[in-house]
Amino acid sequence: MSEEATSGQLQKRLGLPFAIAIMAGSVIGAGILRTPGVVANEVPVFWIAMLLWALGGIYVLLSVNVASELTTALPRAGGIYVPVHEAFGDGMGLLAGWAIWAGYVAGAAALALAFVEFLAIAIPSLQGYTVPLALAAIGAVTVLNLFGVEEGRISNIVGLSIKLALLGGVIVAALIMDPASAPPSQPLPAASPAEAAIGWVALITALQIVLGAYDGWQGPTFFAEEDKDPARNIPRAFFRSAVIILVVYLGINLCVFTVLDIETLRSSDLPVAIMIESLLGPAGVKVAGVAAAVMALLTLNAVSMTHPRILFGMARDRLFLKSALKVNKGGTPWVAMLIGSGLAVPMILSGAYVFVFKIQVATGIFAGVLYNAAYFALRRQRPDMHRPFRAIGHPVLPALILAITVGLFVAVIVADPSGGLWMLALIAICLPVGIHLKRQRSLTEKTA
């Protein structure tokens, strides 16, 4: 293998179009075709649902404001792991890195299965082949990204273009549809005392679902080291992508509320499919199935390109195997790629990705708390650090997003105490491991 392939040096081949594509493409997926119905089931009122989706967009804008400063100040591979490790050391860095990496690998497994499930809507004969086809999907995107960064760059930019074309077509078709052909809206039933009593619970649940649909906005942080001009491109990509996502999400929700009656929307697992069926007739369901499958596969490609960068960043800080630093001629951390894709295989075969997701909900949000706390920690610890972008509205807006993530973390722990126990167990493991690794490095440096 050539020196270039083993040097551990990532290649600066990426720019603004890719940064936008990896963020918007990681967020906008098949989930938006399903989630509006789940949210409407919790809050079956048009303006409240739209407000929650708008609040989700504001949450992303507040998040990328902080991320723009942290990522441009520390433009290294690893995503949110990098500033957490920089601010809080090996223990918390290890926890944040593992939590995010495990979430991405489990996400890859879930997306591969979702791709087949959606495709089976259009081709029912595939229903008996879910696992082998999901494994084939993982293998296909892994091979594509092993070719190199250029292939990943092009595929993600094209992938986002396809997604926006598909969703844009749905939105335009729904908005220009003859209202007379739409199903008649049904009046909402009066809320019972019981429904009124759990109103706030439903509201918080719906907001958590909405924020889950916006997850993945961190995409550009993982590729800052490979960006030709991160100081310029990363903030622009963050804010432009956030606006794109918000517009698409509000547009889709406006359409499903306009075309479908509320009871149909609340009871549907795939409301956009029903909406397309009302526009195109019986073939609409198959069209929706294919569209959802394509979007799931494209999102899988984005996720598969991302997770190796987390292990790469951790390995460079000696928190993972040194072999994860190997980069091939195309610029891909190929060992880290194979480790992540390889772990996704048993997750698909066993269904373990569901268990990982359950644990990762609490640990992932805690990693988000650490990330936003790292902003203030680094401001205090390293006031003279070069910051090409400074967060807007300091300290109020960064404090606001920190408070929001802390509130979300508390809500998740209250709703699922077992997730908190798993997180405490991981902290109990990561802290002593981090301390041990730090001591080992110190001894190595002294004897060198």
Side-chain angles (χ1 to χ4, degrees):
M1 191 172 287
S2 70
E3 182 180 349
E4 181 183 13
T6 60
S7 62
Q9 295 296 317
L10 298 172
Q11 301 170 16
K12 288 187 173 293
R13 297 188 180 188
L14 306 177
L16 179 60
F18 172 81
I20 293 174
I22 199 66
M23 175 174 165
S26 295
V27 176
I28 301 173
I32 187 56
L33 304 182
R34 174 177 285 166
T35 312
V38 182
V39 174
N41 188 49
E42 297 291 339
V43 285
V45 180
F46 169 73
W47 71 268
I48 296 179
M50 293 296 286
L51 176 62
L52 291 177
W53 284 100
L55 288 175
I58 294 171
Y59 169 83
V60 173
L61 287 167
L62 290 171
S63 297
V64 301
N65 183 41
V66 169
S68 293
E69 175 171 322
L70 292 175
T71 306
T72 55
L74 298 165
R76 303 201 297 266
I80 74 172
Y81 154 79
V82 175
V84 171
H85 179 260
E86 194 79 14
F88 303 120
D90 289 346
M92 290 296 99
L94 197 63
L95 174 64
W98 279 117
I100 298 303
W101 181 75
Y104 267 84
V105 174
L111 284 165
L113 289 167
F115 160 69
V116 183
E117 290 168 1
F118 286 130
L119 192 60
I121 295 175
I123 310 173
S125 60
L126 298 180
Q127 290 178 358
Y129 303 94
T130 299
V131 169
L133 289 175
L135 295 176
I138 287 284
V141 297
T142 299
V143 170
L144 172 64
N145 284 287
L146 283 174
F147 278 114
V149 175
E150 187 65 15
E151 289 76 9
R153 181 187 72 84
I154 294 171
S155 63
N156 276 283
I157 293 172
V158 172
L160 178 61
S161 300
I162 292 172
K163 289 181 179 181
L164 294 179
L166 289 171
L167 294 175
V170 169
I171 293 170
V172 170
L175 293 179
I176 65 174
M177 172 184 172
D178 181 3
S181 63
S185 297
Q186 300 296 324
L188 287 177
S192 67
E195 289 173 329
I198 62 170
W200 283 106
V201 174
L203 199 64
I204 293 172
T205 300
L207 181 58
Q208 290 177 329
I209 295 168
V210 167
L211 294 180
Y214 278 100
D215 196 27
W217 60 264
Q218 308 92 337
T221 66
F222 300 100
F223 297 90
E225 187 170 337
E226 297 162 87
D227 195 291
K228 298 173 185 176
D229 187 2
R232 176 180 180 274
N233 293 332
I234 297 300
R236 292 185 179 190
F238 270 136
F239 286 101
R240 291 180 187 182
S241 298
V243 172
I244 291 171
I245 296 163
L246 177 59
V247 170
V248 170
Y249 278 16
L250 290 178
I252 288 294
N253 278 275
L254 175 63
C255 290
V256 293
F257 270 97
T258 300
V259 175
L260 303 179
D261 67 86
I262 190 65
E263 291 306 320
T264 300
L265 177 56
R266 294 181 69 181
S267 61
S268 174
D269 290 331
L270 199 62
V272 174
I274 298 176
M275 182 178 71
I276 295 175
E277 184 179 16
S278 71
L279 299 172
L280 303 180
V285 174
K286 293 187 180 296
V287 171
V290 171
V294 169
M295 292 177 65
L297 186 62
L298 294 172
T299 307
L300 172 61
N301 181 50
V303 168
S304 296
M305 188 176 180
T306 301
H307 64 69
R309 273 73 186 174
I310 305 170
L311 288 189
F312 181 94
M314 294 174 66
R316 183 161 51 193
D317 293 329
R318 300 180 185 178
L319 295 180
F320 193 69
L321 300 173
K322 186 178 179 181
S323 59
L325 290 172
K326 292 185 177 181
V327 179
N328 65 20
K329 291 182 179 180
T332 297
W334 64 276
V335 173
M337 168 74 71
L338 292 177
I339 291 172
S341 296
L343 183 60
V345 171
M347 286 187 178
I348 291 173
L349 293 172
S350 65
Y353 70 93
V354 177
F355 175 71
V356 173
F357 273 144
K358 185 176 181 180
I359 299 174
Q360 200 268 340
V361 169
T363 56
I365 294 178
F366 184 65
V369 172
L370 291 175
Y371 184 68
N372 287 296
Y375 167 86
F376 289 100
L378 290 172
R379 280 272 184 144
R380 178 177 54 83
Q381 296 168 7
R382 300 178 60 181
D384 298 327
M385 182 169 63
H386 178 56
R387 293 173 169 85
F389 179 95
R390 287 184 170 267
I392 300 167
H394 172 83
V396 176
L397 294 183
L400 177 58
I401 190 60
L402 175 58
I404 291 172
T405 54
V406 169
L408 287 171
F409 177 68
V410 171
V412 166
I413 295 301
V414 170
D416 182 17
S418 65
L421 293 176
W422 278 108
M423 189 204 66
L424 290 174
L426 288 174
I427 292 175
I429 294 171
C430 289
L431 282 179
V433 169
I435 293 171
H436 172 72
L437 291 172
K438 185 176 181 179
R439 288 176 178 172
Q440 288 293 106
R441 280 203 301 274
S442 298
L443 289 173
T444 302
E445 290 169 1
K446 288 179 181 180
T447 56

